[in-house]
Amino acid sequence: MTSFDSSPTLTAWRALLAIAVVFVMLATSGWTAVRQQHSASPRETALASWAKDRIAGHSLPDVGAPAYRLAHFFATLTAGQQVALADKYPLVVGNLDGAPVTLRYRANRHALTQAESAEEQRTQDVRLSPDGRHQAALRLERFRSMLAGDRQFLSFDPSGRGRAAEVIGDLDRAERVSVVVPGVDTNLLTLERTGVKKNAAPVGMAQSLYAAERSARPGSRTAVVAWADYTAPVGIGMDAMLGGLATEGAGRLNDFLDALPGTSDVSLFCHSYGSVLCGVAAQGLPSRVSDIAVAGSPGMRADNARALHTRATVWAMRDGDDWIADVPNMAVGGLGHGADPVDPAFGARIVSASGAIGHSGYFEPGTESLSNFAAIGVGAYNSVTCAGTDGACHREISGETEA
């Protein structure tokens, strides 16, 4: 390396070039951001009523209280009182970290039923534009799908683009819990998909991972959560290049993890912008989080794995055809998400993504990316396939167990 190669002048030019690439991407893909006129949502209305209500002569707790305090409150109620609150305030109880899991499932099914009824009326509302009625029809179809069978939702909010978290498996009895954190364009309408894109959507990712974990360790008690309970960026615009939504989502993720029942180990599987969120959340993660696995990451807002300040093992993978490799790994004035997690210098354990297809194909059955995720999720670390000759992949893994 010459002195010019490491000079401040060259470094500055590289930074300017990276910024230029970003702005070209923005110009060709469109500047997108979440712009919504605010009006009281059904949940906000419910929260206002909750704050004034009482039960058995006592005020209801602040919904912002720590999960352990909320858990104590519900433990003091009779089963009938719990159900009465869930049925009266489904959009509150269903999203309340610390409330019993099964009670949240009940509350969110009730909230979904109400949302279904509201959207059915909107589809026939002549005051709406044709596009408005079409959007209502799409949301109606989504809510009906979410109500089908015995699906379990640990959170649900139909406000705006909407948020939700679905549980696959028995969360209360699970020995290992995996949480899928998706990336851009995550909302209620993209929560699940059919056909070839099924496993590119949060619910499909979670279902695919759950099946792979059951195959990797038959008989194990696992649960997987499709955690789409944050406001994600819309498209590859400014919000996707900045960390604001990741910071907000990181707080929500840590609150959710703090409230998980039991003492099971938890693994995070963070895709695309979801890995930015997980990087921001890393420092505040509960100690039970044993692994953070990222795929197709644009960066984790850290210079290296040590800078994440987490005890969790950090894993990273990227498919050779993933376009995210062309996004500059930079961090200038808050723009960009920093170092590349699959760069050996970052310090993550780099694992194979063989078989994955592009940016959204990491959870496809039959791929090494999915089998590696499953091995990490059930703690079968010896079954993980490293990328190339990365000897650090298996080195000094805390809590390593036999497959």
Side-chain angles (χ1 to χ4, degrees):
M1 177 180 292
T2 67
S3 59
F4 179 73
D5 288 336
S6 58
S7 70
T9 300
L10 183 58
T11 300
W13 275 109
R14 283 174 173 164
L16 288 172
L17 178 61
I19 292 173
V21 171
V22 171
F23 277 89
V24 168
M25 290 176 62
L26 291 174
T28 56
S29 62
W31 293 79
T32 58
V34 178
R35 296 187 181 93
Q36 296 177 350
Q37 293 184 342
H38 181 76
S39 59
S41 68
R43 185 165 187 266
E44 288 172 329
T45 301
L47 285 169
S49 180
W50 170 280
K52 301 174 183 177
D53 207 349
R54 302 172 68 85
I55 190 167
H58 299 286
S59 299
L60 301 182
D62 182 351
V63 295
Y68 72 89
R69 290 185 182 174
L70 294 171
H72 175 73
F73 165 75
F74 280 97
T76 65
L77 302 180
T78 66
Q81 289 170 332
Q82 290 184 5
V83 168
L85 279 180
D87 290 351
K88 185 176 182 179
Y89 297 107
L91 283 172
V92 178
V93 176
N95 295 282
L96 204 56
D97 292 326
V101 168
T102 53
L103 191 67
R104 291 176 70 174
Y105 293 161
R106 176 190 178 97
N108 285 319
R109 178 162 286 272
H110 194 36
L112 274 162
T113 300
Q114 292 179 342
E116 177 194 32
S117 177
E119 291 303 327
E120 187 169 22
Q121 293 179 31
R122 283 169 52 81
T123 62
Q124 303 172 34
D125 189 341
V126 296
R127 295 171 298 177
L128 294 178
S129 67
D131 182 65
R133 290 194 296 273
H134 175 66
Q135 288 298 312
L138 292 177
R139 287 167 61 88
L140 176 60
E141 180 182 0
R142 172 62 64 244
F143 296 153
R144 285 176 174 171
S145 174
M146 294 170 73
L147 282 166
D150 56 354
R151 298 176 67 175
Q152 305 170 137
F153 286 92
L154 203 55
S155 64
F156 169 70
D157 184 353
S159 306
R161 295 188 298 125
R163 297 193 294 250
E166 181 172 9
V167 177
I168 316 296
D170 189 338
L171 189 60
D172 277 319
R173 298 180 63 249
E175 298 169 327
R176 303 275 307 197
V177 175
S178 297
V179 180
V180 175
V181 183
V184 299
D185 289 327
T186 295
N187 57 63
L188 283 178
L189 292 184
T190 61
L191 181 68
E192 56 187 351
R193 295 178 179 174
T194 57
V196 295
K197 294 185 177 181
K198 175 182 178 181
N199 297 320
V203 170
M205 292 177 179
Q207 291 173 336
S208 184
L209 180 58
Y210 180 73
E213 288 183 351
R214 301 276 290 181
S215 178
R217 180 161 284 174
S220 63
R221 297 201 305 271
T222 66
V224 180
V225 182
W227 190 80
D229 196 22
Y230 80 105
T231 300
V234 179
I236 311 299
M238 283 302 294
D239 280 338
M241 299 298 174
L242 299 171
L245 293 180
T247 299
E248 180 184 352
R252 296 181 64 84
L253 177 62
N254 279 326
D255 287 344
F256 164 78
L257 295 171
D258 282 334
L260 283 176
T263 59
S264 56
D265 283 347
V266 177
S267 298
L268 302 181
F269 297 92
C270 316
H271 177 245
S272 192
Y273 189 84
S275 70
V276 182
L277 189 159
C278 288
V280 176
Q283 187 170 0
L285 292 174
S287 59
R288 65 192 290 191
V289 177
S290 57
D291 303 280
I292 304 173
V294 302
S297 174
M300 300 180 73
R301 299 212 144 231
D303 291 335
N304 51 57
R306 292 187 302 278
L308 293 172
H309 301 293
T310 179
R311 297 172 59 186
T313 300
V314 182
W315 311 79
M317 67 171 69
R318 185 172 67 217
D319 178 60
D321 295 327
D322 191 337
W323 59 261
I324 205 75
D326 297 324
V327 174
N329 290 106
M330 51 168 277
V332 179
L335 185 68
H337 305 303
D340 186 351
V342 298
D343 184 335
F346 187 82
R349 289 172 172 81
I350 308 171
V351 298
S352 173
S354 178
I357 304 172
H359 187 61
S360 301
Y362 292 96
F363 290 83
E364 289 295 333
T367 61
E368 282 193 353
S369 52
L370 179 60
S371 63
N372 277 331
F373 278 165
I376 293 167
V378 299
Y381 301 117
N382 284 344
S383 297
V384 173
T385 302
C386 298
T389 58
D390 182 13
C393 179
H394 280 291
R395 196 177 302 142
E396 298 177 359
I397 298 176
S398 176
E400 182 169 342
T401 59
E402 294 295 328

